[in-house]
């Protein structure tokens, strides 16, 4: 029998003595007041948005996340690794400040919060995508726990860990020196991300990475991970307790509404007319198709699909793409444009246009094509 999840949880996560099962996060709080005051979804949604996240009573136990974390630990066991990075609920995916702890978005622990997240970002991670992120963050955790980035052979393979970290980065979609795991060619962002992505591919069950990356420069990185993991397989490092600086849900003393307001990135559109010519090409003037559907209504009807597809192919945060698509909807409404062709072809053209704009944004940190000074 293998070691259970319970054996790897530090005291910081509130594991009861002699207890069993996954017990991460804060104790579950009763939501009687919310249920009584909000018999319908809109009322409950409003009540949740006004609650402090720390008071909602979120925990991993008993959710799909618990199963996914257990799956991650089983995958690590299958690779012969003894270390189990602790997982806790936070504001987003990540390992805080080089600490071997895995933070996962709090909304994944509650179906109601996932629904609200979908309203804001138009997409919520499913089980498959969540496992991709968990494997990726596990790569960071192993890198930090063993300080692999300090090894000369690591720096030779992936590059200097001290390299400046930028949210916007140029990627070569044709490069074969990097694995492909998270969308948006994420391995090319930074040496730390390169290692985490390589680790995630190496960890993925049933994936024949030797064959998949045969002839690629990335294969040497995968072989390196395979070799180093065998070296450290049975070394279990000490893991610090998560502090308030690591932002567990217990430390999120602000409302859900404040969370979304704080994280709503404003895209830098300097001139609202910048895409009017493009939109007039995709749609038509009202007098050309007086009986056709309004372009704004068309975008609203397909909003989720457009946002999801653009985010998928660009790797850009869905909330940013959603804001861009909402801007386009506002402009076509202002211009009184109509749907002039088939819905399917128009949807393809609009998505292709949006993908091109967002890719430029990823490369330059500017929507209008003017490269920002700090990215030049």
């Amino acid at each position: 029998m293998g070691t259970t999840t319970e054996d790897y949880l530090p005291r910081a996560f509130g594991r009861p003595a002699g207890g069993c099962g996954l017990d991460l996060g804060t104790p579950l709080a009763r939501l009687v007041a919310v249920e009584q005051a909000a018999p319908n979804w809109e009322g409950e949604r409003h009540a949740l948005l006004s609650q402090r996240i720390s008071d909602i009573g979120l925990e991993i136990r008993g959710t799909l996340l618990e199963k996914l974390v257990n799956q991650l630990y089983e995958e690590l066991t299958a690779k012969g690794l003894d270390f189990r990075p602790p997982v806790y609920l936070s504001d987003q995916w990540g390992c805080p400040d080089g600490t071997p702890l895995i933070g996962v978005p709090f909304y994944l622990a509650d179906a109601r919060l996932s629904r609200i997240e979908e309203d804001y970002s138009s997409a919520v991670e499913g089980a498959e995508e969540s496992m991709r992120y968990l494997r990726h963050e596990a790569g960071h955790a192993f890198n930090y726990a063993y300080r692999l980035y300090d090894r000369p052979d690591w720096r030779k393979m992936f590059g200097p860990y001290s390299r400046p970290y930028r949210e916007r980065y140029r990627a070569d979609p044709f490069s074969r020196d990097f694995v492909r795991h998270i969308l948006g060619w994420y391995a090319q962002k930074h040496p730390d991300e390169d290692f985490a992505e390589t680790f995630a591919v190496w960890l993925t069950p049933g994936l024949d990475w030797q064959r998949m990356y045969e002839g690629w420069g990335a294969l040497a990185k995968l072989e390196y991970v395979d070799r180093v993991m065998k070296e450290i397989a049975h070394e279990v490092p000490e893991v610090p307790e998560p502090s308030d600086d690591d932002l567990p849900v217990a430390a999120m003393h602000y409302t859900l509404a404040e969370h979304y307001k704080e994280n709503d990135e404003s895209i830098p559109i300097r001139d609202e007319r910048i895409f009017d010519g493009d939109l007039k090409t995709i749609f038509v003037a009202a007098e050309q198709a007086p009986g056709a559907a309004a372009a704004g209504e068309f975008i609203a009807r397909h909003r989720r699909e457009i946002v999801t597809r653009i985010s998928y192919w660009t790797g850009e945060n869905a909330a940013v793409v959603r804001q861009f698509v909402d801007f386009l909807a506002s402009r076509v409404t202002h211009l009184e444009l109509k749907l002039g062709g088939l819905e399917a072809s128009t949807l393809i053209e609009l998505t292709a246009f949006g993908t091109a704009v967002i890719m430029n944004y990823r490369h330059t940190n500017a929507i209008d094509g003017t490269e920002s000074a700090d990215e030049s």
Side-chain angles (χ1 to χ4, degrees):
M1 295 180 61
T3 310
T4 65
T5 299
E6 191 66 19
D7 295 322
Y8 297 99
L9 302 184
R11 294 182 183 273
F13 292 99
R15 181 179 68 189
C20 61
L22 192 62
D23 190 13
L24 306 186
T26 54
L28 185 61
R30 298 181 64 190
L31 296 175
V32 176
V34 174
E35 294 172 355
Q36 290 178 346
N40 56 69
W41 169 240
E42 282 306 314
E44 185 172 10
R45 181 180 186 276
H46 177 76
L48 285 168
L49 284 169
S50 64
Q51 266 195 293
R52 294 194 305 179
I53 297 173
S54 56
D55 294 338
I56 297 177
L58 300 172
E59 60 177 0
I60 291 178
R61 182 180 57 187
T63 69
L64 174 61
L65 272 177
E66 179 182 20
K67 297 180 180 179
L68 299 181
V69 172
N70 282 330
Q71 180 178 333
L72 173 68
Y73 291 168
E74 290 169 3
E75 292 175 9
L76 295 173
T77 297
K79 288 290 189 179
L81 300 174
D82 290 345
F83 176 46
R84 304 291 182 270
V87 180
Y88 72 105
L89 294 175
S90 187
D91 64 332
Q92 61 184 339
W93 295 99
C95 287
D97 296 326
T99 305
L101 302 169
I102 298 177
V104 298
F106 64 89
Y107 55 79
L108 292 178
D110 188 299
R112 302 164 304 165
L113 300 185
S114 290
R115 185 174 177 181
I116 293 174
E117 169 68 18
E118 191 169 14
D119 288 342
Y120 279 92
S121 68
S122 298
V124 172
E125 302 90 323
E128 182 178 352
E129 187 177 8
S130 293
M131 283 308 305
R132 286 178 176 268
Y133 285 122
L134 279 172
R135 296 183 190 112
H136 173 93
E137 300 303 342
H140 284 306
F142 271 78
N143 194 17
Y144 304 153
Y146 300 92
R147 298 185 65 88
L148 300 177
Y149 52 83
D150 280 340
R151 294 173 53 141
D153 57 348
W154 191 99
R155 293 196 297 270
K156 183 177 180 181
M157 185 63 62
F158 296 99
Y161 181 81
S162 58
R163 182 178 299 169
Y165 194 95
R166 293 177 173 176
E167 287 303 323
R168 307 293 166 201
Y169 59 98
R170 297 182 183 275
D172 177 2
F174 305 108
S175 175
R176 292 164 48 141
D177 292 330
F178 303 87
V179 298
R180 297 177 181 176
H181 179 69
I182 290 177
L183 298 171
W185 304 282
Y186 203 66
Q188 299 185 39
K189 187 174 186 178
H190 186 272
D192 189 24
E193 304 298 353
D194 191 7
F195 175 83
E197 285 288 83
T198 304
F199 178 94
V201 169
W202 172 82
L203 183 63
T204 303
L207 183 66
D208 187 354
W209 51 265
Q210 292 98 333
R211 182 176 180 180
M212 175 176 288
Y213 289 95
E214 183 179 3
W216 286 43
L219 181 61
K221 298 176 180 178
L222 286 160
E223 292 172 340
Y224 173 84
V225 169
D226 189 55
R227 182 171 63 255
V228 172
M229 290 305 110
K230 289 176 181 176
E231 292 178 13
I232 65 174
H234 303 301
E235 300 175 17
V236 180
E238 293 186 7
V239 179
E241 296 182 358
S243 66
D244 285 355
D245 290 338
D246 299 327
L247 204 59
V249 287
M252 298 171 74
H253 302 303
Y254 45 83
T255 67
L256 190 59
E258 289 170 338
H259 163 77
Y260 284 110
K261 183 177 181 180
E262 175 70 21
N263 288 278
D264 194 10
E265 180 178 345
S266 179
I267 55 177
I269 298 178
R270 306 169 190 177
D271 187 341
E272 290 189 344
R273 303 166 298 175
I274 186 67
F275 301 124
D276 286 1
D278 304 292
L279 293 173
K280 289 177 181 178
T281 299
I282 298 172
F283 300 101
V284 298
E287 57 269 21
Q288 293 179 269
E297 295 176 0
F298 170 81
I299 293 178
R301 189 164 64 251
H302 295 283
R303 177 177 183 259
R304 180 171 300 176
E305 183 179 359
I306 296 169
V307 171
T308 300
R309 290 297 91 194
I310 294 176
S311 180
Y312 180 95
W313 288 113
T314 63
E316 183 57 77
N317 185 285
V320 173
V321 179
R322 184 255 313 157
Q323 186 182 153
F324 171 67
V325 172
D326 288 348
F327 166 77
L328 296 183
S330 174
R331 287 307 299 170
V332 296
T333 299
H334 174 77
L335 296 169
E336 299 182 347
L337 298 179
K338 297 277 190 174
L339 182 65
L342 297 174
E343 285 205 11
S345 59
T346 303
L347 186 59
I348 292 172
E349 190 172 8
L350 182 61
T351 303
F353 163 70
T355 298
V357 173
I358 295 299
M359 282 302 296
N360 177 74
Y361 178 50
R362 288 190 67 81
H363 290 166
T364 68
N365 204 34
I367 287 289
D368 58 7
T370 303
E371 188 172 18
S372 62
D374 62 339
E375 295 291 325
S376 59

